[in-house]
Amino acid sequence: MGEFVVRGGKRLNGTVRINGAKNAALPILAATVLATEPVILHDVPDLRDIHVMIAVLRSLGMTVEKAGRDVFVDPRTLNSYVVPAELMQEMRASIFLLGPLLAKLGAAEATQPGGCAIGDRPIDLHLYGLTSLGATVHDEGGRTVLRAKKLVGNEVHFPFPSVGATENVLMAAALAEGETRIRNAAMEPEIVDLAQFLERLGATVRGAGTPDIRISGASMLKGAEHTVIGDRIEAATFVLSTAAVGGDITVKNCLVDHLPGLWGRLQEIGVMVEEIDADTVHIVSEGRFKPIPVSVATAPYPGFATDCQPQFMSFLLAVPGVHLVTERVFENRLGHAAQLRRMGAQIIADQRVALIYGGHPLHGAYVTAPDLRAGAALVIGALKAEGESVIAGREIIERGYEQLDVRLSALGANIQAR
């Protein structure tokens, strides 16, 4: 298992450009199945999950070439609807292929996906949405098999605004007959980016970014060229790292409107936040704060992002006062609390709620990343801590952060991968 070695206490200064969003690129790669002509994608991050998705597409017969941050996909050689079990277990995002394969080939087959252990994430809402469009579902030897002679538009009303289920239905509906209406749809920016990609293919999508999305199905979708949006969670991680340890950084390709709730809280605590333009933000922090209690609860977009909660908790350790963090999206996403306590953090946590006693010094320790975003939180804690920390599970962190050690080092951090 790989590790990050961090020697804390270094301020961060300079400029960092945010990469394309993994959580936008993965469903967009899945959506290339729907096209009948080649697709070119720009600013695709160079991450393990991306490589797994490319391997899945190739296993289905498609031609995929990656050159730097550009990906060329030719879907015309698609010849299979079975997602290999071993690849499905490597990455939860493989589930995004159910909708496109069902719409394109009339069938899709996969096992329960793998991914980070941050709570129960069943695929029942995915299946509910796809069966609402006319699919049938049954199990064959532990594999989920979906079939449909024809998908027909319908109203799909989700009991919870699931991002993945919204994206799966959105993709399937793009080739369904008639209009599909998704009620209580997830509103994340990554869904808007997917909808814009589908429109470039020739689909008609209205309302993406609202709880009410309407899709008019097309008989055929063509090829397109598309640039993936910047990764808002990566942006928040660099911002919160700087806020915690102190520094002065400019963050480029950061769509400021994609992180509601973050900027105001940072300003209230004493971090200077200057919006240079729509995708550039300037952050200045002294790393020392007046005592102030902070309370934050995660919620579906535009609420406070659950993917930012662990990193924000690490930042709160630098803020004197008693803080409350409530996790309302996943029931098991406070695993980083126990690891941060190894660094001296004063945190009382159960599965959903954590009390953080901020303003106390942290010290270096050996810790293990329980999941992707928790791993990022441990990096922030280590950057703030006195002495040396070793963070095991580097591969888990690198599922969502490309060359994190190199980019933080460029800003002045003392961090090495090994």
Side-chain angles (χ1 to χ4, degrees):
M1 182 180 290
E3 299 170 333
F4 284 123
V5 180
V6 182
R7 294 171 182 84
K10 302 292 186 181
R11 287 173 59 88
L12 302 182
N13 296 283
T15 299
V16 61
R17 183 188 183 278
I18 300 305
N19 293 326
K22 180 193 80 161
N23 289 340
L26 289 171
I28 288 172
L29 281 167
T32 62
V33 166
L34 300 167
T36 56
E37 298 171 355
V39 170
I40 299 175
L41 302 177
H42 301 294
D43 210 6
V44 177
D46 191 24
L47 298 169
R48 174 174 162 267
D49 281 8
I50 296 295
H51 289 280
V52 173
M53 180 61 85
I54 288 174
V56 172
L57 295 178
R58 287 172 176 161
S59 75
L60 300 175
M62 297 167 64
T63 300
V64 186
E65 301 295 336
K66 189 174 190 302
R69 301 192 180 280
D70 296 334
V71 176
F72 170 86
V73 183
D74 189 342
R76 293 174 294 186
T77 51
L78 174 69
N79 58 22
S80 174
Y81 57 80
V82 179
V83 180
E86 64 274 13
L87 294 176
M88 198 78 179
Q89 289 303 311
E90 286 193 47
M91 182 185 61
R92 181 174 176 80
S94 306
I95 201 70
F96 290 135
L97 286 155
L98 291 181
L101 287 172
L102 186 65
K104 187 70 172 290
L105 300 179
E109 184 177 324
T111 57
Q112 180 75 13
C116 280
I118 56 175
D120 191 23
R121 296 192 287 174
I123 64 171
D124 56 335
L125 291 182
H126 297 255
L127 301 181
Y128 156 71
L130 296 174
T131 55
S132 297
L133 301 184
T136 60
V137 182
H138 63 279
D139 291 329
E140 291 183 2
R143 295 181 66 83
T144 299
V145 180
L146 292 89
R147 300 191 187 279
K149 290 184 178 180
K150 180 174 69 173
L151 294 181
V152 179
N154 196 0
E155 180 166 309
V156 179
H157 195 146
F158 287 122
F160 176 83
S162 163
V163 175
T166 298
E167 291 171 330
N168 234 330
V169 172
L170 180 58
M171 290 184 279
L175 282 181
E177 181 180 290
E179 181 179 273
T180 297
R181 184 178 188 181
I182 307 176
R183 305 292 296 274
N184 199 25
M187 298 185 286
E188 274 72 2
E190 294 80 12
I191 289 174
V192 177
D193 202 31
L194 173 62
Q196 291 175 343
F197 173 68
L198 292 173
E199 287 186 301
R200 287 191 170 94
L201 295 182
T204 301
V205 183
R206 292 169 291 163
T210 78
D212 191 348
I213 304 177
R214 296 173 185 260
I215 311 102
S216 297
S219 59
M220 183 183 70
L221 297 176
K222 59 182 188 301
E225 193 167 347
H226 180 79
T227 300
V228 176
I229 59 171
D231 192 319
R232 61 196 174 102
I233 308 303
E234 181 181 271
T237 301
F238 278 100
V239 167
L240 290 169
S241 297
T242 305
V245 305
D248 182 335
I249 70 167
T250 299
V251 186
K252 295 179 176 289
N253 199 33
C254 166
L255 297 168
V256 178
D257 290 344
H258 287 181
L259 286 165
L262 178 63
W263 311 116
R265 282 187 173 88
L266 289 176
Q267 289 172 321
E268 290 171 4
I269 295 168
V271 178
M272 192 211 80
V273 179
E274 181 186 6
E275 185 178 337
I276 305 299
D277 53 43
D279 66 353
T280 306
V281 64
H282 179 212
I283 304 293
V284 179
S285 171
E286 294 307 316
R288 298 183 300 275
F289 311 96
K290 295 179 180 179
I292 180 174
V294 178
S295 178
V296 64
T298 64
Y301 191 88
F304 195 89
T306 180
D307 277 358
C308 289
Q309 175 262 111
Q311 303 93 306
F312 194 76
M313 185 186 293
S314 281
F315 162 67
L316 288 178
L317 292 171
V319 182
V322 181
H323 316 299
L324 178 67
V325 171
T326 305
E327 175 56 56
R328 293 179 175 167
V329 178
F330 293 114
E331 75 278 7
N332 189 27
R333 196 163 206 178
L334 297 178
H336 46 286
Q339 298 297 315
L340 287 169
R341 284 197 291 266
R342 292 174 174 264
M343 296 180 177
Q346 298 186 24
I347 303 173
I348 301 173
D350 63 12
Q351 289 184 326
R352 292 271 189 181
V353 179
L355 278 176
I356 299 100
Y357 297 84
H360 300 283
L362 301 179
H363 56 76
Y366 185 93
V367 293
T368 302
D371 63 72
L372 167 57
R373 305 306 174 184
L378 297 179
V379 170
I380 294 174
L383 291 172
K384 182 68 175 175
E386 297 177 2
E388 180 178 286
S389 296
V390 177
I391 304 165
R394 192 190 81 217
E395 296 85 356
I396 295 173
I397 300 171
E398 290 176 339
R399 287 185 53 235
Y401 297 95
E402 180 183 343
Q403 294 188 315
L404 183 61
D405 56 321
V406 174
R407 297 162 76 199
L408 283 172
S409 294
L411 297 175
N414 190 334
I415 177 173
Q416 291 89 34
R418 68 181 188 191

